[in-house]
Amino acid sequence: MKATALAHPNIALVKYWGKADAQLALPATGSVSMGLDVFPTTTTVTVGDGSAADPEARDAFTLNGRVAPDGALVRVQEFLDLVRALAGSSERATVVSENTVPTGAGLASSASGFAALATAASAAYGLDLSQRDLSRLARRGSGSATRSIPGGVAVWHAGDDEGSFAEPIPAPPMAMVVVTIDAGPKPIGSREAMRRTIATSPFYPAWVTSTTETVGDMLAACAAGDFTRIGEITESNALRMHATIEGAFPPIRYLTARSVAVFDAVAELRAAGTEAYATADAGPNVVVLTKPEDRASVASALSGLGDVIESGTGPAARVIESGTGPAARLVGSEGTGTPDPGVVPDPEESAE
């Protein structure tokens, strides 16, 4: 059986930072995100080659035309083991993925990657999962992949294994402008940074308490269609997360002088009458939340500060092709952009 899935990254409006249970990838707090309609990941999973009878058989993983390094392969194998357990299968799989997200740069590469893998693998192994259960499965690969399953504006609930999933929520029309300052891998991956923050930052307990309250505030703002309040919460929560991370020992600083320059430019846009609000995940790159009618002018105003890409609200993860051979059924399609052949996934990357 073979299945191909497409998924998009998401950017957290209220951040996920820290796990309550690392093994089950349960977050310490809930979070809220907006899916992007750029930077998709397309993943094909093929099973059923008789490998179950061979105890030496291994999964294979190719990314952007290259055999993935051992660390990335192990992470994919561990995730496929979860899928096989659900499916009652011991068949190994071949995974071929094209990822257009700059990997390890704090732009949610693991979110789209594991959302696409979860969607394709569950279909290839014959599972018929609800969106809720698919979101729970994706969570085990990368926390923020949970939110790329429903797409759109989504809330990821904290809780136990059964209750920690993402679902779409109503929200006003929104757009984002991605300002890529550095597309290279960050020096400290999110998983290590989370561990260090939890263990050493004196601000972390307050982060958990305040973020739990902030999720409620954001849900209320989204339900009311209050774009201004959504933007204010988004920018404030991002700065709180970075302050908490910088409080770790040794300190971890993701935002650079160029990142701060983008935050300053966004503040100037607001002062001049354009509603725009900056946020940044665990990396130097900045994403600006704005209204759809303002996204072109915001992109133009920020074009001198980095590589700028406009984005609308992205769709849910989905199977776009499935079947067993030439007669494979096309479920849907969407352009996937041009992958960077040099990008290899960071096994430590976990988007916020």
Side-chain angles (χ1 to χ4, degrees):
M1 184 67 174
K2 177 179 180 180
T4 300
L6 183 73
H8 289 74
N10 66 79
I11 298 297
L13 308 177
V14 177
K15 305 297 188 187
Y16 151 55
W17 193 255
K19 295 180 175 69
D21 185 313
Q23 181 178 0
L24 293 175
L26 300 177
T29 70
S31 59
V32 180
S33 66
M34 175 182 147
L36 303 180
D37 63 7
V38 295
F39 298 143
T41 297
T42 306
T43 298
T44 298
V45 176
T46 305
V47 299
D49 60 358
S51 60
D54 180 2
E56 301 299 322
R58 300 181 67 200
D59 298 305
F61 177 30
T62 301
L63 178 69
N64 294 345
R66 297 184 178 184
V67 175
D70 288 344
L73 174 60
V74 167
R75 194 172 174 192
V76 166
Q77 287 174 324
E78 291 174 346
F79 185 80
L80 291 174
D81 285 342
L82 297 173
V83 179
R84 281 187 280 264
L86 291 172
S89 173
S90 56
E91 292 278 7
R92 297 296 170 178
T94 297
V95 179
V96 178
S97 188
E98 291 184 347
N99 186 16
T100 64
V101 191
T103 301
L107 287 174
S109 60
S110 65
S112 61
F114 275 96
L117 178 60
T119 304
S122 60
Y125 278 97
L127 296 172
D128 184 17
L129 301 181
S130 66
Q131 187 178 82
R132 171 175 174 162
D133 286 339
L134 188 59
S135 177
R136 290 177 53 236
L137 175 62
R139 187 194 77 224
R140 300 291 296 275
S142 169
S144 54
T146 311
R147 300 185 307 239
S148 281
I149 296 297
V153 179
V155 57
W156 174 16
H157 301 287
D160 60 13
D161 186 26
E162 290 291 328
S164 185
F165 63 94
E167 61 181 341
I169 59 173
M174 297 188 290
M176 285 185 166
V177 176
V178 181
V179 184
T180 304
I181 292 168
D182 184 351
K186 55 200 178 191
I188 300 174
S190 294
R191 287 188 171 189
E192 170 57 28
M194 282 186 188
R195 286 192 289 264
R196 191 185 302 179
T197 301
I198 292 170
T200 67
S201 176
F203 309 133
Y204 185 72
W207 159 260
V208 173
T209 301
S210 66
T211 301
T212 300
E213 296 173 355
T214 300
V215 169
D217 293 342
M218 180 62 85
L219 293 178
C222 287
D226 187 344
F227 177 80
T228 300
R229 184 61 179 148
I230 292 169
E232 290 171 346
I233 294 170
T234 295
E235 186 164 297
S236 173
N237 183 256
L239 293 173
R240 286 180 179 182
M241 183 190 77
H242 283 276
T244 303
I245 297 170
E246 290 178 11
F249 186 83
I252 301 168
R253 185 163 65 93
Y254 285 123
L255 298 181
T256 67
R258 293 177 63 193
S259 308
V260 174
V262 177
F263 273 80
D264 289 344
V266 170
E268 291 173 4
L269 284 171
R270 283 201 301 273
T274 298
E275 282 208 83
Y277 302 89
T279 185
D281 286 343
N285 303 304
V286 180
V287 181
V288 182
L289 180 70
T290 190
K291 295 179 178 179
E293 62 267 28
D294 292 331
R295 79 183 205 182
S297 62
V298 170
S300 177
L302 301 176
S303 61
L305 298 174
D307 294 331
V308 173
I309 295 178
E310 300 176 35
S311 176
T313 303
R318 62 199 184 279
V319 174
I320 59 175
E321 190 173 354
S322 65
T324 57
R329 180 170 63 93
L330 186 65
V331 180
S333 63
E334 181 170 318
T336 60
T338 303
D340 176 357
V343 172
V344 176
D346 175 3
E348 287 295 297
E349 172 69 5
S350 178
E352 294 67 43

